[in-house]
Amino acid sequence: MPSVRDIRAKAGEEPITMLTAYDAPTASIVDEAGVDIILVGDSLGNTSLGYETTLPVTVDDMARHTGAVARATDDALVVADMPFLSIGVDEAASIENAGRMLKEADAHGVKLECGPHTVDLTEKLVELGIPVMGHLGLTPQHVNQYGGYPRQGTDQEAAERILELAQAHEAAGAFSLVLEHVPSNLAADVTTALEIPTIGIGAGPDCDGQVLVVDDAVGLSEWSPSFSKQFGNVRAEMESAVGEYVSAVESGEFPADEHSHEESDLEEIY
Ligand code: KIV
């Protein structure tokens, strides 16, 4: 059974790999490729549910998609993202919502978009047996505060605040920390300052690991951020396959004899 201890042990030996997945077929491909951590990100709001932001994603959405991912995963650590306002409003509700990801959906841990309000909660969740991955830098649930998705930690004060929060979450028991869209020199400093592994997205090469949204990585997304990289072109493959299907049906080429069966004992009924 994969554990957060394996992830901590791997850091420093070779980079940790993390990708998102939101459904069983994608999770099985990602798992078989040897990815260390599968994140069921609330980015599923954008990638799979058609929302403009992650804000409408619910705890039920996360539990359903995390369950699908966990059922298809043998080796990777499965981490469920806690959606907007599912944590941080009320401690009991936060614990219950995070607990659902382990009890109902078989996740190994949860990810929290962090701020000063998640330090005590991290400690409580870890104490109760719920491993926590922190997330600092660009936290997309703050889109309305940012007015978009700008780089974070770009001035001295903001950079120091990120380091302080990173250290506070490490002290509270987080097992790793995502750093999103921050300068690579800040990510390098935070990585040096922490014992727990950092996992970067748009945070340069010096983190202990890297994460991407799977739709961006395989080339399924219509748009992806500049810090991402397309390692394939699944969208073009799907467009071509769907186009061929439409032509084959319209031309009568599909279904052919091998796709149908006739029952000789059946009498004509009309
Ligand atoms: O929701 C998500 O996919 C994430 C990653 C981009 C880190 O938070």
Side-chain angles (χ1 to χ4, degrees):
M1 177 179 171
S3 82
V4 298
R5 293 167 93 192
D6 302 333
I7 298 303
R8 292 186 66 152
K10 193 179 176 195
E13 287 177 12
E14 63 178 341
I16 294 164
T17 52
M18 177 158 112
L19 269 180
T20 66
Y22 316 101
D23 57 49
T26 310
S28 74
I29 292 168
V30 170
D31 190 42
E32 278 166 27
V35 165
D36 298 307
I37 306 175
I38 300 183
L39 171 68
V40 189
D42 65 349
S43 50
L44 86 87
N46 309 104
T47 59
S48 312
L49 300 180
Y51 298 129
E52 274 192 23
T53 70
T54 59
L55 305 191
V57 175
T58 65
V59 175
D60 285 343
D61 291 332
M62 291 310 305
R64 163 103 12 140
H65 286 266
T66 301
V69 166
R71 285 189 288 278
T73 301
D74 292 324
D75 298 320
L77 192 83
V78 175
V79 175
D81 221 355
M82 295 311 299
F84 184 52
L85 300 186
S86 66
I87 52 134
V89 179
D90 164 74
E91 189 185 72
S94 305
I95 294 167
E96 192 180 325
N97 290 333
R100 282 187 64 188
M101 300 305 149
L102 276 71
K103 281 171 80 105
E104 272 175 44
D106 245 358
H108 301 107
V110 298
K111 177 169 82 59
L112 315 181
E113 290 194 10
C114 291
H117 64 294
T118 51
V119 177
D120 289 348
L121 179 62
T122 296
E123 192 166 352
K124 189 73 191 169
L125 292 175
V126 172
E127 199 176 289
L128 290 169
I130 302 175
V132 171
M133 171 182 279
H135 180 164
L136 287 169
L138 176 66
T139 45
Q141 291 170 15
H142 287 86
V143 56
N144 286 302
Q145 218 140 14
Y146 300 141
Y149 299 99
R151 293 186 175 94
Q152 297 296 309
T154 50
D155 62 55
Q156 203 58 33
E157 198 185 324
E160 280 168 18
R161 205 166 44 243
I162 288 173
L163 175 61
E164 275 164 29
L165 280 172
Q167 289 173 317
H169 284 82
E170 174 174 76
F175 75 91
S176 63
L177 183 75
V178 169
L179 288 171
E180 180 165 354
H181 213 9
V182 297
S184 53
N185 48 331
L186 169 60
D189 283 350
V190 174
T191 302
T192 306
L194 298 188
E195 282 187 21
I196 57 170
T198 58
I199 301 175
I201 174 163
D206 294 320
C207 293
D208 295 300
Q210 296 293 326
V211 55
L212 285 178
V213 167
V214 72
D215 296 49
D216 297 341
V218 301
L220 181 58
S221 311
E222 272 183 289
W223 173 90
S224 53
S226 58
F227 54 69
S228 194
K229 180 173 169 172
Q230 251 184 252
F231 294 86
N233 200 342
V234 169
R235 191 171 189 89
E237 275 291 312
M238 284 183 76
E239 280 169 355
S240 149
V242 172
E244 279 185 37
Y245 164 75
V246 170
S247 308
V249 171
E250 286 177 351
S251 68
E253 190 190 311
F254 178 84
D257 285 350
E258 68 265 32
H259 306 118
S260 320
H261 68 101
E262 223 176 74
E263 204 52 72
S264 51
D265 290 344
L266 214 53
E267 285 176 19
E268 225 169 73
I269 54 171
Y270 187 68

